[in-house]
Amino acid sequence: MSERPAFYITTPIYYVNDVPHIGHAYTTLACDVLARFKRLDGYDVMFLTGTDEHGQKVEKSAEKAGVPPQEFCDRVSARFGELAEAMDFSNDQFIRTTETRHRVSVQHLWKVLEDKGFIYEDSYAGWYSVRDEAFYSEDELSDGEGGEKLAPSGATVEWVEEPSYFFRLSAMQDKLLALYEDQPEFVKPKSRLNEVRSFVSGGLQDLSISRTSFSWGVPVPGADGHIMYVWIDALANYLTAVGYPDEGSDAYSAFWPADVHMIGKDILRFHAVYWPAFLLAADLPLPDRVFAHGWWTNEGQKISKSLGNVIDPFELIESYGLDAVRFYLLREVPFGNDGDFSRTSFVQRCNADLANGIGNLNNRTLGLIVKNCNGAVPKPNDFTKEDNELLSSIDNLIEDVRAHMDNQAFHKAFETIWQQASAADSYISVQEPWKLKKTDPERMITVLYVLAEVIRQLAILIQPIMPDAADKLLNGLGIGDQERSYEYLGADYRLKPGTTISKPGVIFPRLEMPVTEGTSE
RNA sequence: GGCGAAGUAGCUCAGUUGGUUAGAGCACCGGAAUCAUAAUCCGGGUGUCGGGGGUUCAAGUCCCUCCUUCGCUACCA
């Protein structure tokens, strides 16, 4: 085991009844950036993602596709693996709930909960619509012409009862409220904590956690015909991945409890209420934080399959390049808020910050060095006040960036970094090295050195969000693979004079604005 | 209906415990420069801080009220 501090971050496991879309890419990207940041910052990181593969919908979809459920899962799960590859995600594991290790883990967790008295058998009853495959509560129903009950969809419903095991969620209310009180950052953003608190304050009903009406799931130990129903099965993946039920394993002792469960706001309750309730009941340590991010709209429209405006991450990468896609998604919108995806804002953002910003800064600086310093990093003379101001602000930048990253405030972290790129542009305009070439070549050398050093640190800092572009920038400055962690930020590892510099290529291509469509609707 | 959040520049948003002429980025306009992917730099605000009332020497910031928008209000994930 290493001496480094551990950091465990998870995405939700994605349901294989769906194909990968921008929402999946977004959640996992946020985790990827944080995971990469933490690795560079000296942490031993476990970054987990995967797929949720059980349930009636999967069973039905497989049937429809004419393949066994497992084969269906293999097929769809692979698509999420392809997304991870296309997005250059650095996950350490890809868990699937159909794996044996997960069955063992979740059955063990079940038994623990049962032994501690949190599980009991009863029957689950309600108004069920066969057509909608869903239960409805009494107040959602309306009366049909023949006196029968109708669902909001207009489908007829019938009263059904099936035996089911229940989890005593109702017994956890006080403990949960105490959790939100004692650990107010357990749920972020804060508005989500308010929602959760108000939900729990209103009282909790016990949770039905098994089914007998279908069979694609983890069998309930010692209860023939029962399979586990979604929550315990799905959420327990976070434990499985680090070795549970072997609480003495290296992975478990290093990584549990998780530091951040990253989720979309749609599954907040399950992570902020059910999950800690299960863990409290099982006497297991609780994760530090559940972060619920917002949703994307597409050009102002709500995204839905029926509207046909789903954003395909593969297509985006194809159109704009991976660096731009990764950057835009986490820079454009305050993380936690909903955001609107638009081609115009995409192109504007990427051109302004990437092509015209860091890309241009790199190009003009290295271009001047190649032309005027024999293609090598020059040896600087004494730094002036202006030089020291620029250098010291970038030497200390990691402090602010780290604080923002620890709050999952990605947009602020990047804003902080880009402010320095902007400061470097101001600096180069004031110093005018292209004029110094004739008037004071020694001074020119120092100015170009300062600029190149700023680029070195900027490139190190942006590795988490744009690993590929950062790699190109660092290669351009001759920075070796072993000199790219955050240890190498600051004044102690300044750029080495003499390093060969060649004419820079275009790292951030300028994107074309989308053709404006006619104003007619 | 109940609970909660929010309404600040054309757009997206910052505005600590109330305290000098309300800020940033983008967009826009003007000027400069020409090393660079025609990129960059400097300057420029045109805001009834949702409406109304109140507390205060002083309110975007506190109180009341009204309007608008959004979220949550349990077993699809």
Side-chain angles (χ1 to χ4, degrees), chain A residues 8-12 27 31 46-49 238 258 260-263:
Chain A
Y8 182 24
I9 183 165
T10 70
T11 75
T27 312
C31 293
M46 173 65 72
F47 165 24
L48 174 72
T49 187
Y238 303 133
V260 181
H261 290 310
M262 191 69 75
I263 60 167

Side-chain angles (χ1 to χ4, degrees), chain A residues 382-401:
Chain A
D382 289 345
F383 293 138
T384 64
K385 179 163 165 284
E386 288 79 10
D387 301 344
N388 282 319
E389 269 173 14
L390 182 61
L391 287 172
S392 78
S393 61
I394 195 147
D395 286 345
N396 297 314
L397 204 55
I398 184 64
E399 309 291 336
D400 289 341
V401 174

